[in-house]
Amino acid sequence: MGVFSKYHRYREAGEQANINNVERFGEPSRSLFTSAKVFTLHHKIEITDDRDQIVYQSASKFFSLRDKTDITDASGNQVAHIERKIFTIHQRHFVTMADGLQFELSNELLHLIKDVTNIVGLGWQLQGNIIGLNFELYDRDGSIIAVIGQKMLSLHDKYCVDIYQPEHEAVVVAILVALQHMIRDRESASAASSSSSSSGN
C-alpha cells in the first residue's frame, strides 16, 4: 500500500480532500466525481458534486470512429463537443467549448512512467502517473488548475477531480472526459494487442 497511499488520489464524494493534494496545493475550490454508465449502447459519463447531484453529463455516439462526444450541464445545455483524431501516432482529441473556445489534447508518446498530454491552444499541460492513477493539470504559468484521481479496479470507471481554478471548471470537465476516453482507447488497444499476440502463438 505504500506507493498507492502516497500517490493514489481518488476519493469518494463526502470524503476529505487527499492529504497529498492539500499539502502541495491547499484545499480545492470544488471537487467533482465521475461514473461511467455500463451496459449501454452509448458511452455515458455522469459528473456529480459533493452531494451526488448531477452537474454535467457526457454521451458518445454509438460506433463512431471519431468517438464524437457531447457534454451537457444538468439543464441539458451544451457545454462541449469532443472528437478523436484518427490515423495519427499520437492520441489526439479535439474539443470545442460552447462559447467557441477550441483546443486539442495531444499525448506525447514514449514516456514510460509519466504521461504528458499537451493542451494545445491553451498552453496547459496534463501530467500523469500511470502507477498512481493520478494526473495534474497545470496552466501556462505552471500553476495548478486541477488534480485528477482514478479509482482502481472500478466497473464504473470512476474519477474524482479537485479544482483549484474554478473559473475554468467547464474546460476542466471537458479535459477530464477526453482523458477518460484516451485511457479507454489505450486500454482497448493494449487488450487487442495482447489478444493478437496470444493468438499468434
Side-chain angles (χ1 to χ4, degrees):
M1 282 295 291
V3 170
F4 291 108
S5 62
K6 182 177 181 181
Y7 294 110
H8 191 222
R9 299 180 182 178
Y10 178 82
R11 66 185 174 94
E12 299 282 356
E15 295 180 351
Q16 293 289 321
N18 181 277
I19 188 170
N20 299 295
N21 292 356
V22 174
E23 286 178 353
R24 288 184 63 192
F25 309 119
E27 288 284 347
S29 297
R30 179 164 160 87
S31 298
L32 298 174
F33 307 85
T34 80
S35 180
K37 291 285 189 180
V38 295
F39 310 124
T40 60
L41 289 178
H42 299 266
H43 183 65
K44 293 185 177 181
I45 298 172
E46 290 183 347
I47 298 99
T48 56
D49 61 17
D50 267 317
R51 297 167 296 171
D52 286 326
Q53 299 297 309
I54 294 176
V55 187
Y56 304 96
Q57 297 182 86
S58 80
S60 303
K61 291 189 180 297
F62 184 50
F63 282 145
S64 168
L65 275 178
R66 294 188 178 275
D67 194 21
K68 295 181 178 180
T69 301
D70 286 302
I71 302 173
T72 54
D73 64 17
S75 300
N77 300 310
Q78 181 79 6
V79 173
H81 177 77
I82 304 170
E83 290 193 21
R84 172 178 59 207
K85 181 168 183 179
I86 55 178
F87 308 122
T88 174
I89 61 171
H90 291 260
Q91 282 189 299
R92 297 171 68 184
H93 281 67
F94 293 98
V95 180
T96 302
M97 303 300 296
D99 62 3
L101 177 68
Q102 294 183 316
F103 55 91
E104 171 190 338
L105 279 73
S106 179
N107 187 256
E108 295 182 8
L109 303 182
L110 306 178
H111 289 265
L112 298 181
I113 299 299
K114 178 174 284 190
D115 267 319
V116 176
T117 300
N118 294 309
I119 316 299
V120 181
L122 299 181
W124 298 0
Q125 190 173 80
L126 189 66
Q127 299 177 7
N129 185 304
I130 60 175
I131 296 175
L133 301 175
N134 68 78
F135 303 84
E136 296 167 359
L137 179 63
Y138 294 93
D139 64 19
R140 63 174 64 247
D141 297 319
S143 298
I144 192 71
I145 299 172
V147 179
I148 298 166
Q150 180 183 5
K151 185 175 184 180
M152 296 176 60
L153 306 175
S154 170
L155 178 65
H156 293 276
D157 200 20
K158 292 186 173 183
Y159 291 72
C160 70
V161 56
D162 289 335
I163 301 173
Y164 291 88
Q165 297 187 33
E167 67 272 22
H168 297 309
E169 178 176 306
V171 175
V172 169
V173 168
I175 290 171
L176 173 60
V177 171
L179 173 66
Q180 290 187 241
H181 281 252
M182 292 171 80
I183 291 174
R184 190 186 62 171
D185 287 349
R186 184 179 299 187
E187 290 172 345
S188 297
S190 178
S193 177
S194 298
S195 175
S196 174
S197 297
S198 60
S199 63
N201 294 332

